[in-house]
């Protein structure tokens, strides 16, 4: 699959990204598509597994028929067999008439069974029969029905582990695992994170007539190095929220709004169940509230675990954005342009040699900027950052600490 065909596929299904692992998933889906092999799609929640299933259907010989997605985790155990295979009148209390199931509705098309690991064992046995012989029976009936459907399943759990725990049938697992597609987590596609932020922010701003958001280099580093456990779904919600709160309605004199890492820190996701260290304070009228301080510290702790061992690559060059230019537009939207005002500045020589901008360096930069803003007054700088003057002094670079006297 050449680059133009791959980009056309991404445009068609509104997929943003140029990471090789994402490209591999898409190319594998297209290769499996012309066959009737059952396909197992694996990946964390929020990575876009249903998109992969739709691509398989659209590139298959069954694309003219229905594509029916089914969330197995959202159907009660007592009704899932009826939902999947249908039932006849009188099959159970309340069955006043016969009903076709999803397999019958999807005749000659594709059925996508998401969260297959949540399917009850009894239903798994019925699904195995469909996969092996194409046969099933409606609930309450003894008549054998024939299913002419392509079956695609997806899961965000380890099915091999589920088999070992007795929660998933081993024979069904081996029946569906031959053709697998793994969709990478967002943290494995770090170069795509800023592209997605720009896309989501641009879409939101355009929809509500607001000014578009741009990020400074340190802000880009911040979102790229957060782990995004909710993946694309979480990033989209975060981006929309930030745009709604930080942007403003377009006026004749308004322009693009630029946000720094300090602007973004209060909005960075806070995961439940974790205890955060308190920020020391000498009292006074702090710039940040207590909850905002916790968010700030949490973001820094998250970054410390990952950023120091990662390499920053030059972003803002033409390669990634140009690779995403839609083929159906004469001119790509500005979030896709190679030279976009939202693109971060090129890495400094120091960053390039160190292999990345560490959290420690980012902290120093924020502190030095605050000091510069307040003419070297550490008390005012600490107040703006929401930390104690003592903490600020401790985090200063050694050369700055020795060469400058405290100003008050």
């Amino acid at each position: 699959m050449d680059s133009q065909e791959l980009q056309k596929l991404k445009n068609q299904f509104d997929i943003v990204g140029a990471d090789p692992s994402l490209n591999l998933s898409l190319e594998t889906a297209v290769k499996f598509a012309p066959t009737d092999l059952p396909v197992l799609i694996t990946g964390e929640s929020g990575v876009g597994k249903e998109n992969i299933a739709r691509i398989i259907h659209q590139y298959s010989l069954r694309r003219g028929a229905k594509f029916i997605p089914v969330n197995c985790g959202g159907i009660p155990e007592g009704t899932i067999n009826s939902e999947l295979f249908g039932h006849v009148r009188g099959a159970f209390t309340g069955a006043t008439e016969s009903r076709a199931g999803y397999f019958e509705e999807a005749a000659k098309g594709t059925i996508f069974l998401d969260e297959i690991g949540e399917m009850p064992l009894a239903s798994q046995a019925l699904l195995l029969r469909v996969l092996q012989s194409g046969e099933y029976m409606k609930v309450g009936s003894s008549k054998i029905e024939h299913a002419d459907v392509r079956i695609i399943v997806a899961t965000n759990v380890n099915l091999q582990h589920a088999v070992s725990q007795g929660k998933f049938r081993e024979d069904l697992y081996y029946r569906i695992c031959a053709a697998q597609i793994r969709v990478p987590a967002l943290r494995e596609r770090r170069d795509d994170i800023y592209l997605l932020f720009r896309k989501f922010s641009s879409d939101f701003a355009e929809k509500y007539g607001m000014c578009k958001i741009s990020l400074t280099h340190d802000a880009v580093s911040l979102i790229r190095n957060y782990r995004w456990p909710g993946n694309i779904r979480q990033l989209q919600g975060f981006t929309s929220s930030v745009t709604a709160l930080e942007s403003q309605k377009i006026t004749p004199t308004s322009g693009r709004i630029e946000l720094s890492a300090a602007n973004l820190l209060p909005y960075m996701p806070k995961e439940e169940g974790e205890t955060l260290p308190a920020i020391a304070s000498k009292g006074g009228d702090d710039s940040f509230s207590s909850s905002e301080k916790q968010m700030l510290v949490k973001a820094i702790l998250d970054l410390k675990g990952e950023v120091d061992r990662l390499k920053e690559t030059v972003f803002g060059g033409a390669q990634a954005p140009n690779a995403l230019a839609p083929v159906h537009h004469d001119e790509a939207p500005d979030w896709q342009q190679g030279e976009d005002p939202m693109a971060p500045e090129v890495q400094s020589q120091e960053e390039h040699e160190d292999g990345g901008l560490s959290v420690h360096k980012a902290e120093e930069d924020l502190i030095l900027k605050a000091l510069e803003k307040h003419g070297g007054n550490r008390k005012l700088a600490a107040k703006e950052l929401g930390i104690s003057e003592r903490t600020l002094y401790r985090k200063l670079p050694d050369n700055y600490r020795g060469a400058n006297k405290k100003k008050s």
Side-chain angles (χ1 to χ4, degrees), residues 72-362:
C72 297
I75 305 176
E77 183 173 352
T79 62
I80 188 168
N81 290 344
S82 172
E83 294 289 323
L84 292 175
F85 307 110
H87 63 257
V88 297
R89 181 179 179 181
F92 49 82
T93 302
T96 57
E97 57 183 21
S98 297
R99 177 188 177 278
Y102 293 130
F103 275 91
E104 186 175 347
E105 292 288 343
K108 300 188 182 300
T110 303
I111 187 167
F112 171 54
L113 302 176
D114 197 6
E115 296 188 30
I116 188 68
E118 302 298 319
M119 180 179 283
L121 288 170
S123 302
Q124 291 178 29
L126 299 178
L127 176 61
L128 178 63
R129 184 181 180 187
V130 175
L131 286 165
Q132 290 177 334
S133 63
E135 297 179 346
Y136 68 94
M137 289 187 292
K138 293 183 178 182
V139 176
S141 172
S142 58
K143 178 184 177 182
I144 294 177
E145 309 282 349
H146 293 274
D148 179 12
V149 295
R150 169 75 172 276
I151 299 175
I152 303 174
V153 302
T155 183
N156 59 6
V157 301
N158 187 326
L159 289 184
Q160 284 184 304
H161 179 71
V163 168
S164 68
Q165 297 293 309
K167 297 179 180 179
F168 199 83
R169 290 181 63 101
E170 185 176 22
D171 47 6
L172 178 58
Y173 172 72
Y174 288 120
R175 190 70 179 79
I176 63 176
C177 74
Q180 286 195 44
I181 300 174
R182 179 181 175 275
V183 185
L186 188 55
R187 63 181 172 276
E188 300 172 39
R189 304 166 45 196
R190 294 195 185 274
D191 287 343
D192 291 342
I193 292 176
Y194 185 46
L195 281 174
L196 287 160
F197 180 95
R198 289 163 61 184
K199 172 70 166 73
F200 296 146
S201 179
S202 180
D203 287 349
F204 187 90
E206 184 175 347
K207 180 178 180 180
Y208 293 102
M210 305 178 79
C211 298
K212 293 182 179 179
I213 296 289
S214 96
L215 300 181
T216 61
H217 183 64
D218 57 350
V220 173
S221 296
L222 182 65
I223 64 169
R224 286 189 60 195
N225 292 296
Y226 178 65
R227 67 189 193 91
W228 299 110
N231 295 289
I232 296 173
R233 188 181 296 126
Q234 182 187 17
L235 177 61
Q236 184 172 17
F238 167 81
T239 304
S240 299
S241 178
V242 168
T243 307
L245 294 172
E246 291 291 337
S247 187
Q248 60 188 17
K249 288 291 183 180
I250 295 177
T251 67
T253 59
S254 62
R256 193 181 294 270
I257 296 174
E258 185 177 68
L259 301 180
S260 66
N263 298 133
L264 281 187
L265 277 172
Y267 302 111
M268 291 302 292
K270 177 182 178 299
E271 296 170 39
E272 297 297 329
E274 297 187 13
T275 302
L276 304 181
I279 299 178
S281 175
K282 292 185 177 181
D285 210 3
D286 288 345
S287 300
F288 290 161
S289 68
S290 176
S291 61
E292 287 173 337
K293 290 176 184 177
Q294 285 193 327
M295 290 181 185
L296 187 149
V297 175
K298 174 63 175 61
I300 293 175
L301 291 177
D302 282 339
L303 291 175
K304 280 186 181 296
E306 300 185 51
V307 178
D308 289 338
R309 57 187 173 81
L310 294 173
K311 290 185 176 182
E312 286 285 344
T313 56
V314 178
F315 199 93
Q319 182 175 0
N322 283 348
L324 289 171
V327 297
H328 54 278
H329 291 300
D330 294 333
E331 183 179 352
D334 63 355
W335 66 269
Q336 290 182 321
Q337 301 276 347
E339 295 185 9
D340 190 283
M342 297 176 74
E345 61 189 45
V346 178
Q347 285 176 303
S348 67
Q349 182 65 23
E350 177 186 354
E351 290 174 276
H352 180 74
E353 292 174 354
D354 289 346
L357 182 66
S358 68
V359 172
H360 180 68
K361 180 67 165 58

